[in-house]
Amino acid sequence: MCSGTVIYKIGSTEIPAETAVRLKERFSACPDIATASTFPTDIELTNVRAQKGLALKAYAKERGILPGEIMVLGDSDNDLSMFTPEFGWTVAMGNAQDCLKAVAKYETKSNREDGVAFAIRKYAL
């Protein structure tokens, strides 16, 4: 199924949650493909090198910013690649999926409660 396939990005929305779970399980066997979801009813397939965490690390390195100086915020599993120990502040939004809250160092208020501004004031200033 995975051999020789080059995927840059494929997305699907409004699919049954059970289908999204099955597709993520099936594509997890492909070492060059990363799977994620923004909501339980969607799926994103990207090249494993096209993840937010890798892009942020490369951006920071180019600018001489240490990972420990970086705050990342997220609410869904498509943000998981940024929630690694080397980043100084990994902050899950109050409305984040449980998988993100489980690995975050901190938690803030929800999107509707200005959680990003709250986190910046609380953790970075």
Side-chain angles (χ1 to χ4, degrees):
M1 174 175 120
C2 305
S3 180
T5 303
V6 177
I7 292 180
Y8 296 102
K9 181 159 187 163
I10 297 174
S12 180
T13 60
E14 300 302 321
I15 60 176
E18 304 80 33
T19 301
V21 169
R22 280 197 316 274
L23 287 170
K24 286 171 77 173
E25 288 172 357
R26 184 167 182 175
F27 281 102
S28 70
C30 301
D32 294 333
I33 298 174
T35 64
S37 295
T38 305
F39 301 101
T41 57
D42 77 352
I43 186 168
E44 299 171 15
L45 304 174
T46 58
N47 185 285
V48 73
R49 295 181 312 264
Q51 296 184 64
K52 293 178 181 183
L54 295 174
L56 182 56
K57 287 175 194 173
Y59 179 85
K61 185 176 181 177
E62 284 179 11
R63 282 150 184 79
I65 301 169
L66 298 173
E69 300 173 327
I70 297 173
M71 175 186 283
V72 297
L73 296 104
D75 61 0
S76 60
D77 77 350
N78 69 350
D79 298 314
L80 274 170
S81 66
M82 297 187 299
F83 280 64
T84 59
E86 66 263 36
F87 289 120
W89 297 272
T90 54
V91 185
M93 302 300 293
N95 57 291
Q97 294 176 352
D98 290 339
C99 63
L100 207 61
K101 288 182 178 182
V103 297
K105 295 176 188 172
Y106 306 99
E107 188 174 329
T108 187
K109 295 181 179 185
S110 74
N111 300 19
R112 295 176 188 244
E113 300 171 296
D114 298 322
V116 171
F118 182 83
I120 290 169
R121 284 188 206 107
K122 182 171 182 175
Y123 303 119
L125 297 180

